[in-house]
Amino acid sequence: MKTEKIIYKLYADIIPVKGYSRCLLLDITKKRYWYIPTVLYEVVSSEIDFESLQALYPDEKEVTRAYKKFLLKNDLIFQISGDEKDAFPPINMRWHNPGRITNMIIDIDSETSLDSIENIYAEIGKLGVEAILFRCFSEKKLKELKKHIIRIGSDPCNRLRDIQLDVCIRKTAHLRTTRADIKAISKLPVISTITVFTADKNPADHPVKDNKIRYIKRVVEGPEYCGTIQGNIDSINLELISESMHHNSCLNCKLSIDSAGNIKNCPSMTRSFGNISDTTLEKALNRKDFKQYWNLTKDSIEGCKDCEFRYICTDCRAYTNRTHTDEKGLDISKPLKCGYDPYTGKWEEWSTNPLKQKAIRYYGMEKFI
């Protein structure tokens, strides 16, 4: 009697992503990833027959056994029979959200009129906004900001489930008062995270019992510091991966308001679609080109399209290498502040890359490096 071959298959929650120099297996349940060589990508992307692989590559039997051991040890594959091939369909990677705008960034500095934010209260619910990031570049505005967060967070007509706050402290002369204001805001139920950027103190100098608050020693004075892509990429979830496959991972369904009240795709971008003092968010959203970057995926961006991290990495269209545009005139250049080279698999300091110096000068980034 003929013995049925033993066939294996990746679990449905393991998403293989092919890069130029290596590939990733994204585990959306355990929220982690594994590196695999590019030669293994085609093998794991369909049913895996290790017996046939060993027969096809007799000189690589030890390598095949090592791959099999690795995949089984990390619970990435499972055994199936021949008639079960169609019994385990892949996860539907379609991305959908009922809101027209899923998230917002609102910048605040010492000159910002917070009273103007009241103009957008009703529209936050109407547009279906789920998350807001306030970036406060003036600690003197914290008390006033708290009142607005309370009003926005307690509005029963919106879908908000998360408000985050970035606080950028330039001087620590009144640090005790500032810390008290930060602590008071952290007690609001709608606040999930407060990140405090300070140049004068080490994070260890700020003993914090509140797990919502974290201190980072870094100079952050304005939106020019946005867009840095670092090597600690660890946000792995189905929503991000599916959105990144079909849309821009930074700008899709996003609306931002800079410190002067200008409505933009991102506060760091130059183009404005009106000001909240005289333009509704609805009107800005319907203006030509507001959504032009929403569907620009990493698969279309130079360099990023060959990167194994492209579905779990953010994007930046505000600051790019300024080297490529597509037929529609969209900037498809690699993010300026990314130091990863997918062709070598190495991370380097982006600001010293000689190929980026022209773009750095164009944006006037020399003073921020």
Side-chain angles (χ1 to χ4, degrees):
M1 185 175 68
K2 187 177 179 180
T3 305
E4 185 177 14
K5 284 187 176 181
I6 299 176
I7 299 175
Y8 293 87
K9 186 179 179 68
L10 279 179
Y11 283 103
D13 60 351
I14 309 298
I15 311 297
V17 184
K18 187 175 183 179
Y20 183 88
S21 61
R22 59 186 177 182
C23 305
L24 290 186
L25 294 179
L26 304 176
D27 188 330
I28 59 179
T29 299
K30 297 178 182 176
K31 300 185 183 305
R32 63 163 298 180
Y33 58 79
W34 285 264
Y35 294 110
I36 61 171
T38 54
V39 294
L40 191 56
Y41 176 82
E42 298 298 335
V43 173
V44 301
S45 294
S46 58
E47 289 79 22
I48 310 169
D49 183 348
F50 288 107
E51 183 179 337
S52 295
L53 281 175
Q54 289 184 341
L56 187 61
Y57 302 103
D59 296 335
E60 303 292 341
K61 287 186 177 181
E62 290 302 317
V63 175
T64 303
R65 291 193 188 100
Y67 284 160
K68 180 180 179 181
K69 182 179 179 181
F70 161 77
L71 293 168
L72 286 171
K73 180 182 178 181
N74 291 289
D75 197 25
L76 300 172
I77 59 174
F78 65 101
Q79 183 178 329
I80 61 173
S81 61
D83 57 359
E84 292 179 325
K85 289 184 178 182
D86 300 323
F88 302 95
I91 291 178
N92 186 346
M93 299 305 291
R94 176 175 175 266
W95 185 87
H96 173 73
N97 190 288
R100 295 175 63 194
I101 295 294
T102 61
N103 65 103
M104 294 179 62
I105 296 179
I106 301 177
D107 278 0
I108 298 163
D109 64 18
S110 59
E111 303 299 320
T112 301
S113 172
L114 285 173
D115 290 338
S116 62
I117 294 178
E118 295 183 10
N119 296 344
I120 67 171
Y121 281 172
E123 289 196 279
I124 289 176
K126 182 180 178 181
L127 295 175
V129 179
E130 297 181 356
I132 297 178
L133 169 63
F134 285 99
R135 301 194 304 191
C136 186
F137 302 106
S138 172
E139 57 265 36
K140 295 180 181 179
K141 292 285 185 176
L142 287 172
K143 279 188 172 65
E144 188 180 357
L145 176 59
K146 178 186 174 184
K147 298 176 183 177
H148 288 277
I149 292 176
I150 291 173
R151 290 182 60 182
I152 295 172
S154 59
D155 186 346
C157 296
N158 66 47
R159 300 179 61 236
L160 270 176
R161 54 183 174 84
D162 179 28
I163 293 181
Q164 298 181 24
L165 172 63
D166 286 356
V167 183
C168 307
I169 302 177
R170 302 180 188 183
K171 297 181 180 180
T172 57
H174 305 288
L175 184 58
R176 181 175 296 181
T177 303
T178 302
R179 290 182 64 186
D181 292 337
I182 292 170
K183 187 174 181 180
I185 294 175
S186 75
K187 294 184 180 299
L188 302 178
V190 73
I191 291 288
S192 64
T193 305
I194 298 178
T195 303
V196 183
F197 298 95
T198 175
D200 297 338
K201 298 287 184 179
N202 285 312
D205 296 332
H206 302 275
V208 179
K209 295 181 181 179
D210 191 330
N211 59 12
K212 289 185 179 181
I213 305 172
R214 62 172 180 162
Y215 283 83
I216 296 178
K217 186 179 181 181
R218 187 187 308 162
V219 176
V220 176
E221 296 182 349
E224 298 85 2
Y225 292 84
C226 184
T228 302
I229 297 171
Q230 299 174 321
N232 55 341
I233 298 175
D234 57 5
S235 183
I236 302 169
N237 58 75
L238 178 59
E239 184 176 6
L240 172 62
I241 296 170
S242 60
E243 184 175 19
S244 298
M245 286 181 172
H246 304 288
H247 304 283
N248 187 270
S249 56
C250 181
L251 298 181
N252 180 51
C253 292
K254 173 181 284 183
L255 185 149
S256 300
I257 301 171
D258 72 10
S259 58
N262 297 310
I263 304 169
K264 300 179 176 181
N265 295 124
C266 167
S268 300
M269 300 180 84
T270 57
R271 184 168 183 182
S272 170
F273 296 88
N275 191 285
I276 58 174
S277 63
D278 54 23
T279 304
T280 65
L281 302 185
E282 177 79 27
K283 185 176 180 180
L285 182 60
N286 290 329
R287 285 192 171 172
K288 182 182 179 181
D289 296 338
F290 187 89
K291 303 176 184 178
Q292 63 179 338
Y293 280 105
W294 281 20
N295 296 323
L296 184 69
T297 70
K298 285 294 190 73
D299 291 318
S300 303
I301 295 174
E302 292 300 315
C304 298
K305 64 185 180 183
D306 295 319
C307 180
E308 65 271 25
F309 294 109
R310 63 187 178 274
Y311 298 141
I312 54 173
C313 178
T314 57
D315 186 37
C316 181
R317 295 297 91 200
Y319 306 117
T320 74
N321 288 350
R322 295 180 54 80
T323 53
H324 295 80
T325 55
D326 66 8
E327 65 279 1
K328 296 179 181 179
L330 298 183
D331 187 342
I332 57 171
S333 310
K334 180 179 176 178
L336 175 65
K337 299 181 183 181
C338 176
Y340 183 66
D341 186 344
Y343 307 106
T344 63
K346 295 181 179 179
W347 288 89
E348 297 178 350
E349 174 55 44
W350 67 271
S351 62
T352 58
N353 187 327
L355 299 178
K356 294 177 179 283
Q357 298 310 305
K358 184 177 180 180
I360 289 173
R361 290 191 297 272
Y362 173 85
Y363 293 114
M365 283 286 173
E366 300 96 331
K367 59 183 178 181
F368 303 112
I369 296 174

